[in-house]
Amino acid sequence: MNTSGRAVANLHPRSILCWMAVACLCALPLFAQTPAATPPAAGNAGGSGSAAGIRAITILDGQWRFQTGDDPRWADPAFDDSSWPSVSLSTSLAEQGFDTYTGYAWYRLKVQPQQLAQFSNLASGQPLSFLVSGNSVGQLAAYVNGIASGHTKGMTDSPSEYQSPPFLVELTPAASGATVIAIRTWAGPETTVSHGLLHKVEVGAANDMAERHAMAIGRQWNEYVISDLVVAFLFVCVAVLGGFLYLAQRHHLEYLWLALLCLSVAAGGTADSAFGMAIMPLSVYRIFTIFTGRIFMAITLEFVLHFTGTKSRKFVRGVQIGILLTPFVYFIRLVLLYQVLSVAAEVLFCGLVVVLLFQAWRKGRSEAGVMLLPFFLAATADSVNTVLDFAASRHWLPDEFASHRFYFGPIEFGIGTVAYTVFLGSLIAVILYRFVRISQEEQRSAAEISAARSVQALLIPTQLPSNRNFMLESAYLPANGVGGDFFQVLPLKDDSLLIVVGDVSGKGLQAAMNSSTLVGALRNELSHDPATVLNHLNHVLIGAVASPGMAVKELDCAPCFATCLCARVYPDGTTTVANAGHLNPYRDGREIALAGSLPLGVIADLEYEQATFHLHRGDRLVFLSDGVVEATNAEGELFGFERTQQVSNESARYIAQTAQRFGQTDDITVVSLYLSSRTAQPSNEELAYSK
């Protein structure tokens, strides 16, 4: 028989097969390939038979009559089968000159009374029974003297293909003449039979055959069930581990996809076991395997994408969609096209994963390099194994080129099982290493953020100076715990205020340290002229970036810049402002147009200009950072200058919270000054306002 249940599974790839696994098999003496057991020579049914072990069990091998097709009369002991050709069960039908076929076929054997007497003598007079063993998914029904005496699970009025377990039949002698054993066999239209569906018939004492039957069922579990159940259990355990890792680090989706990957493999292994136990029919198993194999490949690609951090995902998404659509070709009865697409999909899948891992390794992801060699060997072996199975199924190569089986004691398994185990071990090692490394990095990051928050406390005043001349309020909303915004309000001896608002490029501790450098320089600044202050801060920032001692160890020390606005407000409302690339301030809901200039830290010895205007009693002057203007909602729409102007005459807290609710993407800083001095006088020396 060419297409068995195992062969069908191989034609619908879901496994990772590995030449490394083959090397492991060669290295371990326990993993020695065991040839199929050769039954004792028994000759024909008229012989004395041969003992299997201690018990007298005879194998009915020779001189069976064989005919393809189906006719209920062929079970009748009176039917003349002399025109049927004779076959031996120990040799394939193809080797005996028969063409391959599909559907029904019958085997008939006549046992003469003297032969039954010999069997009874060997059985010490106990009742006789015979054990019928089928070949893979072939279904069988046994008739003794025309009476239906036993059958496999799928041999019904509407037959279906299951894995065929051996079954016992009572051997009742005919009242007179020869006892006729007829066995009806069937395999589905998609199964091409070349070996023969009847594998072996053994006869002996009923008690001995019952033990033999139990041993045969045990061998079937060893061959088709146990290894798949063990692999499925291991992958379920790793899926649980992946789930816990994801709960511990929710922002690392690779752990979630790892869990789903393992569950898909476990589902496939469970289906293999269910089919091996004759619980699931081949029709359901084939469909289940087709879809689980494609789902496994799509999930694995998604896992690799997140594991490697690959940004270019359009091609991978296209491959995933193509793989998931492949099974539907099978349902439109284009079987050959489906098989070709399956082989191509698996080769493409394996090659793509290897390329993604290699690219990630070249970019410095060491864990991707650890997975690269095992997966490359796995992909090569998997592709070669799939191509060989496909070629054998099309009769382009002999059947012995298809998947080989190995043994660990009584337990039988294939290369895929070993490859699963080896691949799973390497996967666990890499994932745990990655989890520990990321945990350590997050601990270091948490320590940096804690230190940055301490620095941030120096940059953002918790209390603002107030007197009878001014009322001040502020709002600061960092986007990620630690921001690059800063502001300072310094009261001067003449009752004026020096207000500085800035935004340093970058994020995290490095930005906070650069901000602290500017604030430290600002507090030590002797001059309070806004333009002079900005000139000095520009020199300080350029010097801090250029001097290694000013940078934070192990942090990015690339050149940075900072926008900054400095204003000095006198009690009578006179205001002098200098701007270094920062947003213009707003006065009573209207933007004040100032001369533009480059940010701090861009060009050394840059001279900043300043402008002077007067505030009236009751005027509100608002300074803010670009986090307000650049707030973005879910549709990608910016908060923008128009909305900013509309809310600019509100309190600082209201402005900041409005931008945050709209969709905060950057640090938000708002400082509002309200002039309440009675000495403030109106003046015509004001700059033009622009909306």
Side-chain angles (χ1 to χ4, degrees):
M1 180 176 178
N2 189 329
T3 307
S4 66
R6 293 282 178 177
V8 172
N10 290 331
L11 287 176
H12 308 300
R14 64 173 181 80
S15 62
I16 302 291
L17 302 178
C18 183
W19 285 121
M20 180 180 288
V22 178
C24 292
L25 292 176
C26 297
L28 297 177
L30 290 175
F31 291 167
Q33 185 173 358
T34 303
T38 303
N44 59 27
S48 61
S50 60
I54 299 176
R55 295 171 173 80
I57 296 174
T58 302
I59 298 176
L60 303 180
D61 180 25
Q63 304 307 313
W64 286 83
R65 298 289 184 170
F66 174 77
Q67 181 64 46
T68 59
D70 188 35
D71 191 331
R73 295 177 299 172
W74 294 349
D76 189 343
F79 177 77
D80 183 10
D81 59 14
S82 59
S83 62
W84 290 12
S86 298
V87 297
S88 172
L89 301 185
S90 61
T91 306
S92 72
L93 294 177
E95 293 175 353
Q96 298 179 69
F98 291 87
D99 294 332
T100 58
Y101 72 94
T102 60
Y104 289 94
W106 284 72
Y107 295 80
R108 285 172 56 92
L109 179 68
K110 293 181 179 180
V111 183
Q112 301 300 326
Q114 62 271 24
Q115 296 170 337
L116 280 177
Q118 292 178 1
F119 297 157
S120 296
N121 290 335
L122 291 174
S124 302
Q126 297 182 39
L128 295 175
S129 61
F130 61 93
L131 182 66
V132 181
S133 300
N135 192 344
S136 189
V137 295
Q139 303 303 301
L140 302 92
Y143 299 83
V144 179
N145 298 319
I147 300 173
S149 303
H151 62 83
T152 55
K153 183 176 182 178
M155 198 62 161
T156 61
D157 293 337
S158 299
S160 58
E161 292 176 296
Y162 287 85
Q163 190 67 253
S164 297
F167 62 95
L168 278 174
V169 179
E170 182 180 352
L171 182 58
T172 304
S176 62
T179 298
V180 177
I181 300 174
I183 298 179
R184 182 190 187 207
T185 66
W186 173 85
E190 295 184 11
T191 301
T192 302
V193 182
S194 60
H195 185 280
L197 298 181
L198 182 59
H199 177 63
K200 185 189 300 183
V201 179
E202 303 167 90
V203 64
N207 293 338
D208 294 343
M209 297 311 299
E211 293 183 14
R212 188 83 167 178
H213 179 241
M215 292 173 59
I217 296 298
R219 284 195 300 271
Q220 191 169 38
W221 271 69
N222 292 336
E223 181 177 358
Y224 295 112
V225 178
I226 293 179
S227 61
D228 292 323
L229 281 180
V230 170
V231 170
F233 174 75
L234 292 176
F235 273 90
V236 168
C237 293
V238 178
V240 173
L241 174 63
F244 280 116
L245 295 181
Y246 172 68
L247 292 177
Q249 297 179 357
R250 288 181 178 270
H251 53 291
H252 287 279
L253 290 176
E254 61 267 27
Y255 301 130
L256 175 61
W257 289 107
L258 169 67
L260 295 176
L261 182 158
C262 293
L263 288 177
S264 68
V265 176
T270 304
D272 289 343
S273 299
F275 176 71
M277 291 185 288
I279 296 174
M280 181 183 293
L282 178 61
S283 57
V284 176
Y285 172 71
R286 182 183 286 118
I287 294 173
F288 189 88
T289 304
I290 288 173
F291 280 102
T292 55
R294 303 305 171 268
I295 292 172
F296 164 76
M297 286 192 275
I299 291 177
T300 301
L301 285 174
E302 194 66 27
F303 163 74
V304 173
L305 281 179
H306 290 279
F307 180 78
T308 59
T310 303
K311 300 300 182 183
S312 302
R313 301 186 176 186
K314 290 184 178 180
F315 177 74
V316 178
R317 291 284 184 264
V319 173
Q320 288 174 307
I321 294 173
I323 287 174
L324 292 175
L325 291 178
T326 302
F328 295 99
V329 178
Y330 175 82
F331 292 106
I332 59 177
R333 300 299 180 183
L334 299 176
V335 178
L336 179 59
L337 176 61
Y338 166 74
Q339 292 177 345
V340 172
L341 290 178
S342 294
V343 174
E346 185 169 357
V347 173
L348 178 61
F349 157 74
C350 295
L352 184 57
V353 172
V354 170
V355 170
L356 292 176
L357 290 175
F358 178 76
Q359 289 178 343
W361 174 64
R362 289 289 301 271
K363 293 179 180 179
R365 290 180 177 263
S366 57
E367 61 268 30
V370 174
M371 284 187 63
L372 179 60
L373 179 60
F375 198 94
F376 173 75
L377 297 175
T380 303
D382 190 32
S383 301
V384 170
N385 190 75
T386 300
V387 171
L388 290 177
D389 281 346
F390 175 70
S393 70
R394 304 303 303 173
H395 306 293
W396 298 339
L397 292 174
D399 290 346
E400 54 265 25
F401 282 91
S403 299
H404 296 285
R405 307 296 292 171
F406 302 89
Y407 295 85
F408 181 79
I411 301 175
E412 182 178 346
F413 54 91
I415 297 177
T417 302
V418 181
Y420 270 136
T421 306
V422 173
F423 178 72
L424 183 63
S426 64
L427 189 63
I428 293 173
V430 170
I431 288 298
L432 289 179
Y433 165 75
R434 181 185 181 90
F435 178 79
V436 172
R437 181 181 61 79
I438 291 176
S439 297
Q440 293 174 345
E441 290 178 355
E442 289 182 347
Q443 290 177 357
R444 288 194 296 268
S445 177
E448 292 176 0
I449 290 176
S450 177
R453 284 175 178 167
S454 299
V455 174
Q456 195 84 60
L458 303 175
L459 311 180
I460 308 300
T462 56
Q463 293 182 348
L464 298 178
S466 60
N467 52 39
R468 63 186 181 87
N469 301 316
F470 307 106
M471 293 179 61
L472 289 163
E473 59 177 352
S474 65
Y476 173 68
L477 300 176
N480 297 309
V482 178
D485 287 5
F486 67 93
F487 71 90
Q488 293 288 300
V489 180
L490 304 177
L492 304 178
K493 294 181 179 180
D494 58 357
D495 289 336
S496 63
L497 292 178
L498 187 67
I499 302 175
V500 179
V501 180
D503 182 5
V504 176
S505 63
K507 302 292 181 184
L509 185 56
Q510 183 68 66
M513 293 300 294
N514 287 330
S515 299
S516 66
T517 300
L518 294 176
V519 172
L522 176 64
R523 291 181 176 179
N524 294 324
E525 174 63 38
L526 298 179
S527 173
H528 299 131
D529 180 62
T532 304
V533 169
L534 292 184
N535 291 335
H536 182 224
L537 295 181
N538 184 46
H539 286 289
V540 169
L541 185 58
I542 290 177
V545 173
S547 303
M550 298 295 293
V552 181
K553 185 179 180 180
E554 298 180 352
L555 294 179
D556 183 11
C557 296
C560 70
F561 63 89
T563 65
C564 188
L565 188 146
C566 182
R568 184 173 184 179
V569 185
Y570 294 88
D572 64 354
T574 302
T575 304
T576 304
V577 181
N579 191 1
H582 201 76
L583 293 180
N584 291 331
Y586 287 83
R587 171 184 172 182
D588 287 345
R590 307 175 79 181
E591 182 182 356
I592 301 175
L594 299 176
S597 186
L598 293 175
L600 306 177
V602 176
I603 298 178
D605 301 324
L606 179 65
E607 297 294 330
Y608 291 94
E609 300 179 5
Q610 64 184 28
T612 302
F613 59 90
H614 287 270
L615 296 176
H616 301 159
R617 185 174 61 185
D619 281 355
R620 183 187 298 274
L621 186 63
V622 176
F623 307 89
L624 44 82
S625 67
D626 57 4
V628 176
V629 178
E630 295 177 358
T632 307
N633 62 17
E635 289 73 31
E637 183 182 5
L638 289 173
F639 191 75
F641 288 97
E642 184 176 348
R643 290 188 179 91
T644 301
Q645 182 172 326
Q646 291 173 358
V647 300
S648 63
N649 203 33
E650 303 292 339
S651 65
R653 182 176 298 275
Y654 178 85
I655 298 173
Q657 291 179 347
T658 300
Q660 184 184 47
R661 286 193 298 267
F662 189 83
Q664 181 178 7
T665 59
D666 198 358
D667 308 321
I668 295 175
T669 301
V670 182
V671 178
S672 175
L673 179 144
Y674 180 78
L675 182 63
S676 60
S677 172
R678 295 182 179 180
T679 61
Q681 300 293 330
S683 174
N684 293 326
E685 299 178 22
E686 296 181 6
L687 297 177
Y689 297 122
S690 64
K691 294 184 178 181

